Amino acid sequence: MAAWLRSGIRLPLALGIALLVAYPLVFGSAYHLRVLTVAGIYALMVLGYHFIFGHAGALALTQGAFFGLGAYVTGILGSQLAWSFPATFALSIALPVVLAALIALPVLRLESHYFALATLGIAQVLLLIAIKWEGLTGGPNGLSGVPPVVLFGAVLPNGWPMLLLVWGVVAAGAALAWQITRGLTGRAFHLMRDNPLAAQAVGLDIGRLRLAALLLGAGYAGAAGALYVHTLRIISTEVLEFPVMVACLTMAVVGGRTRVAGAILGAVLLVHLPEWLRFLDRYYLIAYGALLLLMIVIAPFGLIGALERWRTRRWPEPAPTPPAPLPLRRPQLRAVDRGTKLLEARGISQRFGGVRALNAIDLTVGHGEIVGLIGPNGSGKTTLVNVVTGVYRPDAGAVVLAGQAITGHAVHAIARAGIARTFQTLNLVDDMTVLDAVAVARRGKTRRGTPRITLARAHGEAIALLGELGIAEHATRRCGGLAQGVKRRVEIARALALEPRLLLLDEPAAGLNPTEQRDLAARLRTLAAGGLSLLVIEHNMAFLMPLATRMVCLDHGQVIAEGSPDTIRRDARVIEAYLGAEARSA
């Protein structure tokens, strides 16, 4: 059995498909077919909700509103205007997508609970419109007479025909969702969900990713709403009420918020659970709530996540074979550029309330130069890096890269322009493999192709970078299980995957022993010799001074000294502010 599982077939998935197929064959009554049809409709809605809630990590409460809008479009056009199913179905998908696009600009800028509250408000507005606009929607009484689905001249009544149509659409939606999220896009969503700043730093436009997730979710929900009213043959305000959204959210959490199988399992289970508990009469709701709470407690990553962990413990899989390395294109330093300025920070000032973090700082980095940036804690080193990379917009001054002003540009735009960085506090996602953590930065660099092809190419380029930094043997391990020094190198490899012209390193020697420090310094010199410019923040002078070609010292947000490492070592202001009296005797 273990060999069978390692071939790529998953026992829980195979059993789930078999049970799903067998259920209507064993319980073939009209009632059971209708319940399973409704479960398929909810599964389709949850599949769409996975994009924004699961993959993008945003608690949107609009999925029920998109579902209801799709239902009303089909209900009104089908019952009042006798439009055909293909036309109403297409519009039921299109109009929720249009609504999602209209609300995206103000709503997607919000974070956390503010985003959830704003999306909840949109759903309530649609509900009020449905209640008050009686001439169009029928008001609280709704509309009856929604026609059955007619395809190719054949009427599809409830029962087996409608069941097969709904689950056929679910299968198509599941295949599309799996295709979208299986490659680099899925890795990009993973990084964005767990660490938005790191995602932007590797050139990912998280605003565009969230917008795509919201639009996809709206389309799925609209399709589910259309199928819902064709199944019930009536339309009422219940499709826009909050319990629909609660049911969708619960199904996503219980099944597993990022797994296609989780959406289907959650929907089938939660639609059938009340039916299975009817024998409890007045107490079935209490039992229903208790069972849901128990499932969430024992399976915080969803039932599919729990099944996957059980399978991994029961039948552990061998580590995958790392791909063959692929050559990576690097910017080449032209002879005419050597010695000229690549980065210029002119008169940069930055305040945080009453604290002046940076005060009219001027800093330059030349082509192929290694500049060391030092200073006591709180002197403004990381703040300056954040200004250069777009995390902060300076109160005054300008940042220029290769003659082009980049002041105020978005973080992902600056990363794509050629500035990559690492972080003082490691920004890796623990449950991503090292290979994926580096490959995700290649999303904007790989040539077009299928998700499988682009992912394979990115993995090949990632293994080449890991080899350059001497950590290729860790490629298939999870980032959370790595030593501190290896994690630092993984971050550097991820930054190099952007093919940058300038690399900003924030304390790269932290957590490295002396041997590892010497090895890393040698590799950084090789990169600089190839044309890469480096700006290195570091407190470890034994590592930085032999590495840097020029050093800049900050204190209280100002440049107090600049020059060669030997000059900085002897500067009285640097000794007093940072290096200390022992440096004088040394």
Side-chain angles (χ1 to χ4, degrees):
M1 180 176 288
W4 180 58
L5 289 169
R6 293 189 187 111
S7 68
I9 300 172
R10 298 291 181 260
L11 180 59
L13 179 60
L15 288 176
I17 294 174
L19 289 173
L20 191 60
V21 172
Y23 178 85
L25 297 174
V26 176
F27 303 97
S29 68
Y31 170 76
H32 286 100
L33 294 180
R34 185 182 180 89
V35 172
L36 189 58
T37 301
V38 172
I41 291 168
Y42 272 99
L44 185 62
M45 178 169 61
V46 178
L47 279 170
Y49 191 52
H50 274 190
F51 286 108
I52 186 66
F53 173 63
H55 297 292
L59 180 57
L61 299 178
T62 47
Q63 195 72 355
F66 297 143
F67 174 84
L69 179 58
Y72 265 103
V73 169
T74 287
I76 293 169
L77 296 179
S79 64
Q80 305 300 307
L81 302 178
W83 281 33
S84 66
F85 170 73
T88 59
F89 190 67
L91 278 176
S92 291
I93 295 173
L95 288 185
V97 171
V98 170
L99 176 62
L102 291 175
I103 67 176
L105 184 61
V107 168
L108 288 180
R109 297 174 181 270
L110 303 175
E111 298 289 343
S112 184
H113 54 283
Y114 298 106
F115 177 80
L117 289 173
T119 55
L120 175 62
I122 293 164
Q124 294 305 300
V125 168
L126 284 181
L127 176 60
L128 290 175
I129 292 174
I131 293 173
K132 298 297 182 182
W133 199 350
E134 295 188 20
L136 180 66
T137 65
N141 295 322
L143 298 171
S144 59
V146 178
V149 174
V150 179
L151 280 177
F152 307 110
V155 177
L156 301 184
N158 285 334
W160 276 103
M162 199 63 191
L163 175 73
L164 293 176
L165 173 65
V166 167
W167 280 98
V169 175
V170 172
L176 177 61
W178 178 76
Q179 183 73 5
I180 290 173
T181 58
R182 65 183 292 222
L184 284 177
T185 299
R187 274 70 175 177
F189 273 125
H190 191 172
L191 179 60
M192 179 188 75
R193 180 177 67 246
D194 288 5
N195 201 318
L197 180 57
Q200 295 175 80
V202 296
L204 299 179
D205 186 346
I206 64 174
R208 180 171 292 184
L209 285 172
R210 284 177 178 167
L211 174 61
L214 186 65
L215 297 182
L216 283 166
Y220 275 70
L227 295 173
Y228 186 76
V229 294
H230 278 301
T231 301
L232 268 63
R233 305 285 179 83
I234 60 172
I235 180 67
S236 70
T237 56
E238 289 183 357
V239 297
L240 283 167
E241 291 177 356
F242 193 56
V244 175
M245 184 64 247
V246 173
C248 178
L249 176 61
T250 307
M251 291 169 184
V253 171
V254 168
R257 58 190 281 188
T258 61
R259 296 289 191 271
V260 168
I264 297 172
L265 176 61
V268 171
L269 185 63
L270 267 71
V271 167
H272 284 84
L273 196 57
E275 307 300 326
W276 297 335
L277 298 176
R278 292 292 182 190
F279 71 93
L280 295 175
D281 196 20
R282 294 175 298 174
Y283 303 103
Y284 95 93
L285 285 177
I286 297 175
Y288 178 71
L291 282 174
L292 289 182
L293 181 60
L294 178 64
M295 283 189 287
I296 293 172
V297 170
I298 65 176
F301 298 101
L303 292 176
I304 291 298
L307 287 171
E308 287 181 346
R309 283 166 172 76
W310 168 79
R311 177 185 56 80
T312 301
R313 289 194 301 268
R314 182 67 180 82
W315 295 290
E317 297 181 0
T321 303
L326 294 176
L328 195 69
R329 181 173 57 87
R330 287 271 174 75
Q332 297 299 314
L333 179 61
R334 302 178 302 174
V336 69
D337 290 330
R338 189 170 294 278
T340 62
K341 297 175 182 178
L342 173 64
L343 175 75
E344 295 178 83
R346 305 169 181 166
I348 300 297
S349 295
Q350 181 74 52
R351 281 183 174 274
F352 299 105
V355 177
R356 174 167 288 185
L358 300 174
N359 186 13
I361 283 184
D362 292 325
L363 176 72
T364 63
V365 179
H367 286 273
E369 187 178 24
I370 303 177
V371 177
L373 186 61
I374 64 172
N377 290 332
S379 61
K381 304 182 298 297
T382 299
T383 300
L384 179 59
V385 169
N386 285 336
V387 168
V388 169
T389 55
V391 177
Y392 301 145
R393 186 185 184 99
D395 299 322
V399 180
V400 178
L401 178 68
Q404 299 293 320
I406 59 172
T407 314
H409 288 192
V411 176
H412 71 272
I414 291 176
R416 292 177 182 178
I419 298 181
R421 67 171 298 183
T422 64
F423 296 86
Q424 182 179 14
T425 301
L426 288 165
N427 272 342
L428 296 173
V429 177
D430 286 348
D431 62 343
M432 288 186 79
T433 65
V434 170
L435 201 59
D436 283 340
V438 178
V440 70
R442 299 296 301 163
R443 184 172 181 266
K445 299 291 184 181
T446 53
R447 296 181 297 277
R448 295 186 181 277
T450 66
R452 183 182 63 83
I453 291 173
T454 54
L455 180 61
R457 186 182 300 120
H459 277 165
E461 293 165 340
I463 199 71
L465 287 168
L466 294 171
E468 285 189 27
L469 290 167
I471 52 173
E473 68 273 16
H474 300 286
T476 59
R477 295 184 60 190
R478 303 284 177 181
C479 292
L482 301 175
Q484 185 83 353
V486 178
K487 289 182 178 180
R488 291 284 177 189
R489 296 196 185 205
V490 173
E491 270 209 333
I492 294 172
R494 185 177 66 185
L496 291 174
L498 284 171
E499 300 174 12
R501 291 180 284 178
L502 173 64
L503 178 59
L504 311 180
L505 301 175
D506 200 341
E507 300 192 26
L512 275 64
N513 61 43
T515 301
E516 292 172 328
Q517 291 174 23
R518 288 191 295 271
D519 179 73
L520 177 59
R523 296 177 190 275
L524 293 178
R525 289 191 197 94
T526 301
L527 291 171
L532 181 65
S533 302
L534 289 93
L535 177 63
V536 184
I537 297 176
E538 187 54 72
H539 289 288
N540 187 336
M541 293 299 102
F543 170 82
L544 183 60
M545 285 196 168
L547 173 66
T549 54
R550 182 166 57 89
M551 297 182 67
V552 177
C553 183
L554 301 184
D555 188 30
H556 293 96
Q558 294 181 303
V559 176
I560 61 171
E562 181 177 355
S564 67
D566 189 60
T567 300
I568 291 294
R569 182 186 293 113
R570 299 173 184 275
D571 192 288
R573 294 166 299 177
V574 176
I575 292 173
E576 180 180 357
Y578 180 59
L579 296 180
E582 67 275 8
R584 187 188 301 274
S585 59

